[in-house]
């Protein structure tokens, strides 16, 4: 099973234009659905997320691996991005509505200055954001910085369950997050 996931991740990386990290290419691609910019993969077709760690906008560090056992919603954003501004309230509302069910959120700020990013977050969101001006974390997830906002939902096992390559709304995001949160983690990952 692990080798199949590794092969799926490699195929996804090689065929970046046609497959996303986390979903298999080839015959198994049917296990991932792509509807209106939302790609969702069945649990047995998910690949582990790359290392997502860095310095927080407000100081300190964050490593998503410490959130294993929780669903992690990762949102890529920039203060200069109008759709990012539009979705901020919906992200915060979804975070508040789902955090009691083992869900956490992480922002990743790209191609920005720290001052502008901190000012953007004030009064908008309460979850942490990693400062990644070089967009290294976005690129590790096959998210080109010029295609943000983008949101990635990691399951409780740290695998990529859903990739949304568009601005989100609470009505669209919350059911996805709740569905992933309702899944049971793999017995072998505990």
């Amino acid at each position: 099973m692990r080798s199949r996931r590794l092969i799926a991740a490699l195929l996804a990386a090689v065929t970046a234009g046609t497959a996303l990290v986390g979903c298999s290419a080839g015959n198994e691609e049917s296990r991932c659905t792509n509807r209106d910019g939302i790609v969702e993969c069945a649990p047995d077709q998910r690949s582990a997320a790359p290392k997502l760690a860095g310095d927080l906008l407000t100081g300190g560090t964050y490593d998503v691996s410490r959130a294993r056992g929780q669903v992690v919603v990762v949102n890529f954003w920039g203060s200069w991005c109008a759709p990012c501004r539009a979705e901020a309230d919906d992200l915060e509302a979804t975070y508040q509505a789902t955090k009691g069910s083992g869900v956490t959120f992480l922002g990743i700020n790209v191609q920005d200055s720290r001052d502008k990013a901190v000012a953007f977050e004030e009064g908008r969101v309460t979850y942490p954001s990693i400062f990644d001006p070089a967009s290294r974390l976005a690129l590790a997830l096959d998210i080109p910085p010029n295609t943000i906002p983008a949101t990635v939902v990691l399951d409780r096992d740290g695998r990529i369950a859903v990739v949304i390559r568009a601005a989100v709304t609470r009505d669209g995001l919350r059911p996805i997050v709740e569905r992933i949160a309702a899944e049971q983690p793999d017995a072998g990952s505990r």
Side-chain angles (χ1 to χ4, degrees):
M1 182 77 103
R2 289 185 192 270
S3 64
R4 192 169 83 192
R5 287 187 188 144
L6 178 60
I7 291 168
L10 290 172
L11 285 171
V14 170
T15 60
T18 58
L20 296 171
V21 173
C23 294
S24 323
N27 295 334
E28 298 174 277
E29 190 170 357
S30 63
R31 298 299 306 258
C32 296
T33 60
N34 185 348
R35 291 187 192 105
D36 300 322
I38 300 172
V39 177
E40 186 168 352
C41 294
D44 64 338
Q45 296 302 305
R46 298 175 186 164
S47 294
K51 181 176 174 79
L52 296 174
D55 295 329
L56 292 170
L57 279 172
T58 56
T61 60
Y62 186 94
D63 186 337
V64 78
S65 68
R66 293 186 300 203
R68 189 63 44 93
Q70 295 185 309
V71 171
V72 181
V73 178
V74 182
N75 177 258
F76 292 89
W77 63 276
S79 66
W80 45 266
C81 164
C84 299
R85 290 180 181 280
E87 74 176 359
D89 290 341
D90 291 301
L91 286 160
E92 179 65 20
T94 304
Y95 170 61
Q96 293 299 328
T98 60
K99 68 182 182 179
S101 59
V103 176
T104 190
F105 276 53
L106 172 67
I108 300 183
N109 173 257
V110 300
Q111 308 233 331
D112 221 336
S113 73
R114 187 179 296 269
D115 291 342
K116 288 180 180 178
V118 169
F120 173 89
E121 274 199 328
E122 282 182 19
R124 281 194 173 94
V125 298
T126 59
Y127 53 85
S129 282
I130 291 176
F131 182 56
D132 184 28
S135 304
R136 287 185 181 96
L137 299 175
L139 293 171
L141 275 165
D142 192 30
I143 308 282
N146 63 341
T147 65
I148 68 164
T151 302
V152 177
V153 181
L154 306 179
D155 68 15
R156 295 182 190 278
D157 296 313
R159 301 173 304 181
I160 301 167
V162 179
V163 177
I164 305 167
R165 293 185 182 256
V168 297
T169 64
R170 73 187 81 189
D171 292 340
L173 182 60
R174 185 172 173 180
I176 292 169
V177 172
E178 289 174 339
R179 187 170 53 254
I180 303 303
E183 296 175 354
Q184 295 300 313
D186 280 350
S189 67
R190 291 183 215 165

